[in-house]
Every structure is written in structure tokens, then in C-alpha cells.
Amino acid sequence: MKRSRDKAASELFAALYPRLAGWCRRLVDDDETAHEIASEAFTRLWARWTSVEEPRGFLYVTAANIVRDHWRKLERERRAVRRAGSEAATRPHTEQTDPSVRLLVQSLPERLRVPILLHYYADMPIREVSELTGRKEGTVKADLHAARELLRGHLRRSLDHTL
């Protein structure tokens, strides 16, 4: 039993780790952090191995939550640097005048952010996002539409400010 469990976990890791780490890399823009996040997601899966029905979904949702925590930590660090008066450290990133889509996605409410991350960044079909989030497909579609509208509005306002 233990040997078959270990083999299944090993096969799952070999099949999913590269894509999960690549997805995380696109979200955090750092190889080392991406691998840490993907590894942590697998560690959390392993701790719940016998109770998780859909390992792939568990991994992506867990990684999305860890990415969110990473983004929050970065924002706290940026604010601390700004408060310390170190303008040189924040100047190259000028998020206020040049918002990236990643930062805008980060600012979405979790209800909208998770479907965006799973559908657009992990290339999961709406049916699969529906299964992973426990929401009806119509709800997922509506959430994706609402998220796109919010992002579109943010981008328009940003462009209006830079023109």
C-alpha cells in the first residue's frame, strides 16, 4: 500500500511539477520563488494525500493561495521601503504610473482572482475551474467576465492618466 502510494505521488510529481512551477513563474516573475511555491504546494498535498480527491486542482488552488500570500508580502515590503524613505528602491518599479496586468490581477477580490489565475494562467477549461472551485460553470463564466471588466476599467484609467 505505502509503495503504491509513493509511486503514485512520484508519478504525479513528475507529471505536474514542471507545469505548476512554470505557471508560478509567470505569476511571481522569479524562478527560485516559483519553485519554492510549487514545492510547497506538493508538500501540502502530500500531507493530505489520502483525503484529496482531485490532486491537480488542489495543487493549483494551493499554489494560487501561496502566490497571493507572496504578493501580499511583497506589497508590505514595498510599503515599508517607502516609509523608510528609500525612494531609489521603489523608483524602478513605478507601479502607480505603469501598472502591470499581474498587479491588477493581484488586486482583484479572491472570488474573481482564482478563476482568472486558473483559466488564463493555468490554461484550465471553464469546466475544470468549475469543478475545482465548486462553482457552477455559469458562475465561473460570470466571474471571469466581471474580472475582465474590472481589469479593462483599471487599464483604461491607467492609460488615461499616462496620456
Side-chain angles (χ1 to χ4, degrees):
M1 175 75 175
K2 177 152 173 43
R3 174 167 262 155
S4 66
R5 186 179 122 178
D6 290 348
K7 184 174 188 240
S10 181
E11 289 171 357
L12 183 73
F13 183 85
L16 296 181
Y17 182 84
R19 189 165 181 202
L20 181 66
W23 179 67
C24 292
R25 169 69 174 87
R26 289 195 314 259
L27 296 174
V28 299
D29 202 29
D30 177 61
D31 284 332
E32 186 176 336
T33 303
H35 285 285
E36 288 174 9
I37 291 169
S39 296
E40 177 64 21
F42 269 95
T43 299
R44 292 180 187 184
L45 172 64
W46 184 247
R48 295 166 184 81
W49 183 250
T50 56
S51 63
V52 173
E53 290 183 33
E54 177 50 55
R56 181 173 183 251
F58 178 91
L59 288 168
Y60 276 92
V61 170
T62 300
N65 289 334
I66 297 169
V67 165
R68 180 201 60 222
D69 293 343
H70 171 75
W71 286 342
R72 285 180 178 165
K73 179 182 173 209
L74 287 178
E75 185 55 35
R76 284 191 305 271
E77 290 171 354
R78 283 186 195 113
R79 282 194 303 261
V81 167
R82 276 186 232 128
R83 277 194 305 269
S86 178
E87 292 179 17
T90 58
R91 203 165 290 205
H93 291 81
T94 62
E95 283 95 6
Q96 291 78 21
T97 58
D98 185 24
S100 70
V101 173
R102 182 181 62 82
L103 290 172
L104 292 175
V105 169
Q106 171 188 346
S107 72
L108 291 171
E110 184 171 356
R111 170 181 76 75
L112 302 177
R113 185 179 54 247
V114 170
I116 287 283
L117 291 175
L118 294 174
H119 184 66
Y120 291 108
Y121 287 83
D123 298 323
M124 290 185 185
I126 288 173
R127 176 190 43 75
E128 197 167 343
V129 174
S130 170
E131 291 169 8
L132 295 177
T133 60
R135 299 180 196 151
K136 294 180 179 179
E137 286 186 33
T139 303
V140 170
K141 289 177 185 177
D143 288 346
L144 289 170
H145 175 75
R148 286 191 305 268
E149 289 301 311
L150 280 173
L151 294 172
R152 186 176 293 119
H154 286 302
L155 289 170
R156 277 196 187 116
R157 283 191 297 279
S158 299
L159 289 174
D160 290 344
H161 285 63
T162 59
L163 295 177

